[in-house]
Amino acid sequence: MEEYRHLNIKLTPQRIAILDYLKGNKSHPSAEDIFKAVKKEFPTMSFATVYNTLEALKNKGNVQELKIDSSKKRYDPDCSTHHHLICTKCKSIVDIFNDFKLNLSEDLTEGFDLIGNSIEFFGVCHDCK
Amino acid sequence: MEEYRHLNIKLTPQRIAILDYLKGNKSHPSAEDIFKAVKKEFPTMSFATVYNTLEALKNKGNVQELKIDSSKKRYDPDCSTHHHLICTKCKSIVDIFNDFKLNLSEDLTEGFDLIGNSIEFFGVCHDCK
DNA sequence: GTACTAGATAATAACGATTCTAAACTGATA
DNA sequence: TATCAGTTTAGAATCGTTATTATCTAGTAC
């Protein structure tokens, strides 16, 4: 597909299937979620391909790795600035697009060069209540 | 030690050593950091004891598990409300005690019951620049 | 269109953090 | 001081992720 040409990565059918799965995906899938979804179309799909592709997309700034779930990495194809609201029970994740102004005075940063921030809200989702 | 009696967990010498190591510790250690430190005093110390004790302390609300480092869990004996500033290179962590007011309007929370939030600032520390 | 090649895929092994198991041990209570 | 529920230990098992290697193929050049 031409729409992925701008990524400047070699476009294989497997990669296109992964990209299609990720496009507009708001579920913040794990590698396993991606693997299972793409395996339906490519039964020989291996985990290595999922991880390789995610690595390539991360390097191109086209996918964000989330550390929200301590048991496994999750991935977000939306690289715009936003935050997350996580259900402490089922680990479902909702995007929060508010722009919060968080100023840290120099004397608190202990000589760090600040790059950015990320806010994790937590709560219990509708289904888990 | 009497000072740990209030935890209401059985106090073994190994647990006291772990508690002593954690007391006032601002390094946000991993299980391995704790294991290595306590092993000096108790050469037969096993990882299971470290994880068991951390689990007990988590349940008592006396230790916080941090998901900041995607390759391993890190632990914070300071359970007061605070945030973290993380070096993207060496993964060192500094506490930020500012109290930020983060209001989320009802219509953004998609039916979640909000519990709290945690802010992760990231940057490059003095030593890694 | 055909050949070439750097880079991708797939199967599997390796790895590291964490959890589990089962037997021996011990702190806290009576 | 005897008891026992809970703890420690060593090691095995598990699980997510990374590495390896042989095979394959997308993209380029001819």
Side-chain angles (χ1 to χ4, degrees):
Chain A
M1 305 290 189
E2 292 304 314
E3 66 177 306
Y4 301 125
R5 191 58 46 88
H6 71 282
L7 291 171
N8 283 316
I9 59 172
K10 198 187 271 190
L11 289 176
T12 64
Q14 293 89 336
R15 286 184 164 188
I16 290 168
I18 292 173
L19 287 161
D20 283 344
Y21 176 74
L22 288 176
K23 187 168 64 169
N25 190 318
K26 300 285 185 202
S27 71
H28 308 80
S30 64
E32 189 185 6
D33 295 332
I34 298 167
F35 174 74
K36 280 184 179 166
V38 178
K39 199 178 177 62
K40 287 175 190 162
E41 192 181 345
F42 292 92
T44 63
M45 169 71 50
S46 89
F47 258 105
T49 298
V50 174
Y51 283 112
N52 283 345
T53 303
L54 287 169
E55 185 64 26
L57 293 175
K58 263 195 299 180
N59 292 338
K60 296 291 177 181
N62 229 262
V63 145
Q64 202 182 346
E65 192 177 284
L66 304 182
K67 293 171 293 187
I68 277 168
D69 191 333
S70 66
S71 66
K72 58 184 143 187
K73 292 174 181 173
R74 293 178 63 165
Y75 298 87
D76 191 343
D78 184 346
C79 288
S80 68
T81 301
H82 66 283
H83 307 290
H84 294 107
L85 168 54
I86 303 109
C87 176
T88 54
K89 294 191 178 171
C90 72
K91 311 295 177 196
S92 65
I93 302 173
V94 164
D95 291 319
I96 300 290
F97 288 100
N98 269 31
D99 183 19
F100 297 95
K101 299 290 179 215
L102 302 174
N103 296 313
L104 274 189
S105 57
E106 285 279 338
D107 58 317
L108 290 176
T109 57
E110 300 199 8
F112 275 59
D113 278 349
L114 268 181
I115 295 172
N117 63 69
S118 163
I119 309 173
E120 187 180 314
F121 293 91
F122 37 97
V124 180
C125 79
H126 182 268
D127 292 345
C128 289
K129 282 198 268 200
Chain B
M1 306 292 188
E2 290 306 313
E3 65 176 308
Y4 301 127
R5 191 60 46 88
H6 72 282
L7 291 170
N8 282 316
I9 59 172
K10 196 189 269 191
L11 289 176
T12 64
Q14 294 89 335
R15 286 185 164 187
I16 290 168
I18 291 172
L19 286 162
D20 284 343
Y21 175 76
L22 287 176
K23 188 167 64 169
N25 189 318
K26 301 284 185 202
S27 71
H28 308 79
S30 64
E32 189 185 6
D33 295 332
I34 298 168
F35 173 75
K36 281 183 178 166
V38 178
K39 199 177 177 62
K40 288 176 190 162
E41 192 181 345
F42 292 92
T44 64
M45 169 69 51
S46 90
F47 258 105
T49 298
V50 174
Y51 283 111
N52 283 346
T53 302
L54 287 169
E55 185 63 25
L57 293 175
K58 263 196 297 179
N59 291 338
K60 296 290 176 180
N62 229 263
V63 146
Q64 203 182 345
E65 192 178 284
L66 304 182
K67 293 170 291 186
I68 278 169
D69 190 332
S70 66
S71 68
K72 58 183 142 188
K73 292 175 182 172
R74 293 177 64 164
Y75 298 88
D76 191 343
D78 185 347
C79 288
S80 68
T81 302
H82 67 283
H83 307 290
H84 295 107
L85 167 55
I86 304 109
C87 176
T88 54
K89 294 192 178 170
C90 73
K91 311 296 178 195
S92 65
I93 303 173
V94 165
D95 292 317
I96 301 289
F97 288 99
N98 269 31
D99 182 20
F100 297 95
K101 300 290 178 213
L102 302 174
N103 295 312
L104 274 190
S105 58
E106 285 279 336
D107 58 315
L108 289 176
T109 57
E110 300 200 10
F112 275 59
D113 278 350
L114 269 181
I115 295 172
N117 64 70
S118 163
I119 309 173
E120 187 179 314
F121 294 90
F122 37 96
V124 180
C125 79
H126 181 269
D127 291 346
C128 290
K129 280 198 269 201

